[in-house]
Amino acid sequence: MNKDYLKLVRRLKLWVVLLSVLNITIVSTIVVNLYLSKKKEAQNERSIKGTNNFFSLYLNLDDKQTAQFDSISANYSNDLKDVGFMLRNVKERMSTPGIFSDTVAMNKIYVDFIEAQSLNRDLAIIFYNNIRGICDSLQLSKFDTLISKITVPADYYKTTPKLKEEYE
């Protein structure tokens, strides 16, 4: 009876040690994942702040406007994820073997690519209109000047004469 009791105690000790090791690994895994997620979140915040700093400095945004801009920028970043998913899908389909000989599939890929680019354009227009909406009159003129320098006007291709090489 005494041997059975000692055997049972040894088994219980072994189970206690095994469960302790498992608990320690679970807790350490949770701590490491929390640390990595905080680190990634801080890195994402820094990348957003780079954009925010440009507009904040260029337009001389006050604290209230900067907070509004942060919200606009975060929403824009979230909306852009859909464009990323769409473009990744197009890229994956383009790497399918024999896809270039299938004109129906290529046309569908082309349509999906154009749709992703259109969504990207629409989101950018909404983003810039939202920024424009938080500007005062002085900031508005600076913003309009900046946007006019980085975009092509809608009627640019209608009014610009074509080059000779394009006709030949």
Side-chain angles (χ1 to χ4, degrees):
M1 179 97 174
N2 199 9
K3 278 186 171 184
D4 290 336
Y5 178 72
L6 290 174
K7 204 178 210 182
L8 183 63
V9 168
R10 277 190 231 130
R11 282 185 188 167
L12 288 174
K13 285 181 182 179
L14 179 64
W15 278 109
V16 167
V17 169
L18 286 173
L19 290 175
S20 298
V21 169
L22 286 174
N23 283 336
I24 289 170
T25 57
I26 289 170
V27 169
S28 63
T29 301
I30 291 170
V31 169
V32 166
N33 284 334
L34 283 173
Y35 170 75
L36 292 176
S37 68
K38 293 282 185 188
K39 186 176 177 182
K40 187 174 181 180
E41 186 178 313
Q43 184 178 9
N44 289 342
E45 189 174 316
R46 277 194 305 265
S47 69
I48 290 173
K49 287 291 183 193
T51 305
N52 293 359
N53 285 339
F54 169 76
F55 279 106
S56 296
L57 295 174
Y58 182 76
L59 298 173
N60 297 323
L61 298 177
D62 62 22
D63 292 337
K64 180 183 175 190
Q65 290 172 319
T66 302
Q68 290 174 326
F69 182 81
D70 289 342
S71 174
I72 291 168
S73 182
N75 289 339
Y76 178 64
S77 294
N78 286 334
D79 292 341
L80 276 183
K81 290 178 185 175
D82 293 336
V83 174
F85 290 137
M86 293 169 76
L87 290 175
R88 258 184 248 112
N89 183 9
V90 166
K91 182 180 177 185
E92 288 171 4
R93 291 183 358 214
M94 288 291 289
S95 63
T96 305
I99 192 71
F100 294 106
S101 61
D102 186 357
T103 56
V104 174
M106 286 300 293
N107 285 338
K108 178 67 175 139
I109 291 172
Y110 175 74
V111 167
D112 291 345
F113 178 75
I114 296 299
E115 185 179 321
Q117 292 300 322
S118 296
L119 179 59
N120 186 34
R121 179 202 61 220
D122 295 344
L123 291 174
I125 290 170
I126 292 169
F127 175 66
Y128 289 124
N129 281 337
N130 288 339
I131 294 172
R132 196 172 192 280
I134 64 171
C135 294
D136 62 23
S137 59
L138 180 61
Q139 294 166 335
L140 199 56
S141 65
K142 288 176 81 174
F143 181 79
D144 288 344
T145 302
L146 173 69
I147 294 300
S148 70
K149 288 181 180 180
I150 62 172
T151 59
V152 177
D155 62 346
Y156 175 79
Y157 294 106
K158 293 177 185 174
T159 59
T160 305
K162 295 191 181 224
L163 299 175
K164 270 187 149 182
E165 295 103 33
E166 291 180 5
Y167 293 116
E168 295 174 12

